[in-house]
Amino acid sequence: MASGKPPDFNLFGAEEKVLAAAEGLERRVADGPEELRADVRALVEAYRRAVREQRRLVKVSDRLQGQLGTVNQELAKRTAEAEEALARLRDAQEQLVQTEKLASLGALVGGVAHEINTPVGIALSCASHLSDATAAIHRLFAADDIGVDDFQRYMDTAADTARLILANCERAAALIRSFKQVAVDRTTSERRRFDLAATIGATLDSLGPGLRQAGHTVTVACPAELMMESYPGALGQVLTNLVMNSVVHGYDQGVAGRLSIRVDQPDPVTVRLVYADDGKGIPDEYRARVFDPFFTTRRGSGGTGLGLHIAHTLVRGSLGGTLTVDSAPGRGTTFTLVMPVTAEERLSPG
Amino acid sequence: MERLTIPATERSPEVDFDFAGGRLSIRGESYPEDAAALFGPLFAALDRFLAASPGPAIRFDFELIYFNSSSAKALMNMFQMLEKAAEGGRAVTVNWIFAPEDETMREFGEDFSEDLSHVRFHLVATPPDGG
């Protein structure tokens, strides 16, 4: 620091001393031959100039390093700003992902209601039929007009309706159980042990009404009892988004699609899930961008451009895997999801 | 002598030595990776040009935005050559051109002119694109 420096400090003190000595030499040879004097004079002058040049060069060099320092500071500032902007963007993206998840949970609830309606409706009409038959046999019994045939018919009706009521109530209960698990998985994002085939089944059940209405069929080939230790909610969300992407973009109105899910294990610790549709395919110019956030060809008709991005983010994040796309116009679209059987525990799963 | 022109690159200045017209200029930024490769040919040409005696009057414009230490040393060498030629009777004018707000460049001009007594040295503050 300046205060610790001797007040008479001179960066070029040594050079000035040499110069003074040279000038002394010049004076000492003043009486010598002219040729010698001229040579010494020239040497002293050259040295003087060399010292001046040295001073200038030090100045140039200091300036350059000063500028470099300023540029580095500016760079550090810009880097910090960019990082902050990136963090804000990630937060915003995360919020959008959560919003989108909630929206798809809403759709899920709609699907559930529709799906449960069928067995409940059957059970209800069976119960109503049993009630009517019971009232009729009750009247006959009260009038003491009951025959063996009447009683036999009633017994058959009661057995049939009770069986149907039981089966349909069991179906409804099973659906509710599976939807409950799907809903819990989607909202809590907890890692747990699950049967992959069952999770695929429950996810497709939740999508069932929409798929059936449009006439699409899904075939699943998944090894039984393939247990994973991962995030079933994330996986269900990924499958949902892939299927929805096919349904929304892959087929024109009235075209029935064939969707397929094939699961295999390239090695014991890895699961490969290949999801394919036989739809229109993705044009070359879009293919590289399908996982980009907010990339959509359907913004006007309600697309957010987040579906495949969320799928990609969940695969890369929670599931610890990779999601790749293969598609060509007219040849359908295939997504390949490769993930570990056991996902890493995450502090804040996406 | 044939005119010597070298287009500017990202790290080296535009050079235009119009020997016949006696107008020479170096403009732009100068922080070449290989200072010898850039300045070597310039010194050689300048040497031959200045050796021709008596030669035409010379006007040399330096319009540098940025230069590194090697370039600074090369500039001082160039000024020394011009000073010798001026001392030998050649009319030499140097215009040191800089942006008005560029105090550093003005200071360098002032410093460089210290060693010149026969060269006519002008400090010229010129707004960008002001000619």
Side-chain angles (χ1 to χ4, degrees):
Chain A
M1 290 295 106
S3 57
K5 201 168 63 178
D8 57 348
F9 174 79
N10 181 349
L11 200 56
F12 291 91
E15 284 77 5
E16 282 175 11
K17 265 188 206 148
V18 173
L19 201 54
E23 282 162 354
L25 178 67
E26 197 177 356
R27 280 193 297 278
R28 287 217 309 275
V29 299
D31 297 332
E34 171 54 29
E35 201 182 329
L36 176 66
R37 280 189 287 138
D39 282 355
V40 171
R41 201 163 48 238
L43 269 177
V44 171
E45 190 45 53
Y47 185 70
R48 221 176 254 136
R49 196 170 63 235
V51 172
R52 283 199 297 271
E53 289 194 349
Q54 199 187 338
R55 284 177 188 275
R56 287 178 210 136
L57 286 173
V58 166
K59 205 165 152 185
V60 170
S61 176
D62 284 354
R63 171 199 58 158
L64 295 176
Q65 271 154 31
Q67 285 173 341
L68 190 64
T70 311
V71 169
N72 277 341
Q73 275 173 14
E74 183 64 19
L75 187 67
K77 204 178 108 206
R78 296 273 176 89
T79 307
E81 281 170 4
E83 273 167 3
E84 201 183 307
L86 189 64
R88 276 204 303 274
L89 192 66
R90 286 215 175 105
D91 282 352
Q93 214 165 308
E94 178 61 23
Q95 272 182 14
L96 273 164
V97 166
Q98 294 303 335
T99 308
E100 181 78 8
K101 272 191 195 169
L102 284 177
S104 78
L105 201 59
L108 178 79
V109 170
V112 169
H114 190 280
E115 196 70 355
I116 289 175
N117 211 28
T118 310
V120 168
I122 294 170
L124 197 61
S125 67
C126 286
S128 163
H129 182 50
L130 179 61
S131 173
D132 289 350
T134 306
I137 198 85
H138 192 264
R139 272 195 305 278
L140 291 176
F141 180 70
D144 201 14
D145 190 20
I146 190 164
V148 172
D149 287 354
D150 296 326
F151 191 68
Q152 187 64 52
R153 254 199 319 277
Y154 174 69
M155 293 285 277
D156 291 347
T157 302
D160 281 352
T161 51
R163 189 175 45 76
L164 280 169
I165 289 169
L166 195 63
N168 279 283
C169 284
E170 271 169 359
R171 170 76 182 142
L175 283 171
I176 288 168
R177 260 199 312 279
S178 104
F179 289 141
K180 209 164 115 189
Q181 190 60 60
V182 170
V184 167
D185 285 339
R186 292 282 174 90
T187 46
T188 59
S189 309
E190 265 177 19
R191 192 178 77 154
R192 67 177 177 86
R193 198 170 148 77
F194 63 93
D195 182 316
L196 179 58
T199 295
I200 293 172
T203 304
L204 292 176
D205 278 347
S206 75
L207 293 165
L211 288 175
R212 276 199 303 275
Q213 264 169 22
H216 304 309
T217 55
V218 190
T219 55
V220 180
C222 178
E225 286 167 21
L226 202 175
M227 300 304 291
M228 291 183 70
E229 180 84 34
S230 187
Y231 296 89
L235 183 60
Q237 181 82 62
V238 170
L239 282 178
T240 301
N241 290 10
L242 294 181
V243 171
M244 290 318 291
N245 187 65
S246 294
V247 171
V248 172
H249 298 285
Y251 302 97
D252 288 324
Q253 192 80 32
V255 177
R258 280 182 314 227
L259 315 178
S260 71
I261 295 172
R262 288 195 318 277
V263 177
D264 67 351
Q265 287 194 273
D267 60 66
V269 295
T270 309
V271 170
R272 178 168 52 207
L273 187 155
V274 178
Y275 167 82
D277 69 34
D278 64 345
K280 288 189 278 189
I282 302 170
D284 292 345
E285 65 266 34
Y286 295 158
R287 200 166 45 245
R289 300 173 61 198
V290 292
F291 295 127
D292 290 354
F294 308 113
F295 175 73
T296 178
T297 53
R298 295 286 176 99
R299 200 176 307 285
S301 48
T304 60
L306 283 172
L308 290 181
H309 171 68
I310 288 171
H312 193 249
T313 305
L314 289 173
V315 170
R316 291 264 306 266
S318 298
L319 303 179
T322 58
L323 183 65
T324 52
V325 62
D326 181 26
S327 181
R331 290 215 330 246
T333 299
T334 302
F335 287 96
T336 303
L337 162 54
V338 177
M339 59 189 159
V341 169
T342 303
E344 270 180 45
E345 186 88 57
R346 296 175 70 83
L347 291 176
S348 57
Chain B
M1 263 180 83
E2 199 153 316
R3 186 171 184 161
L4 174 66
T5 56
I6 304 170
T9 71
E10 201 181 316
R11 316 179 55 138
S12 68
E14 175 202 337
V15 176
D16 184 1
F17 286 180
D18 174 10
F19 296 114
R23 296 188 58 146
L24 290 71
S25 69
I26 297 182
R27 298 175 203 277
E29 300 187 66
S30 180
Y31 51 110
E33 270 175 48
D34 185 352
L38 171 67
F39 290 107
L42 302 190
F43 284 128
L46 202 55
D47 235 359
R48 277 190 295 139
F49 175 57
L50 295 175
S53 182
I58 301 166
R59 174 183 149 181
F60 205 142
D61 291 345
F62 292 88
E63 189 169 356
L64 290 159
I65 302 158
Y66 183 91
F67 52 82
N68 65 4
S69 306
S70 303
S71 302
K73 178 62 178 146
L75 289 176
M76 289 191 274
N77 290 356
M78 221 174 268
F79 287 140
Q80 217 43 54
M81 290 164 80
L82 294 169
E83 174 68 8
K84 272 212 188 87
E87 197 176 359
R90 198 80 164 255
V92 181
T93 305
V94 166
N95 291 317
W96 182 260
I97 303 164
F98 54 92
E101 70 277 9
D102 193 346
E103 276 308 307
T104 326
M105 221 28 104
R106 170 196 288 276
E107 259 181 57
F108 282 128
E110 286 166 357
D111 288 353
F112 288 149
S113 68
E114 274 177 5
D115 284 336
L116 307 178
S117 47
H118 298 90
V119 167
R120 278 199 301 271
F121 192 95
H122 302 301
L123 289 168
V124 185
T126 308
D129 303 317

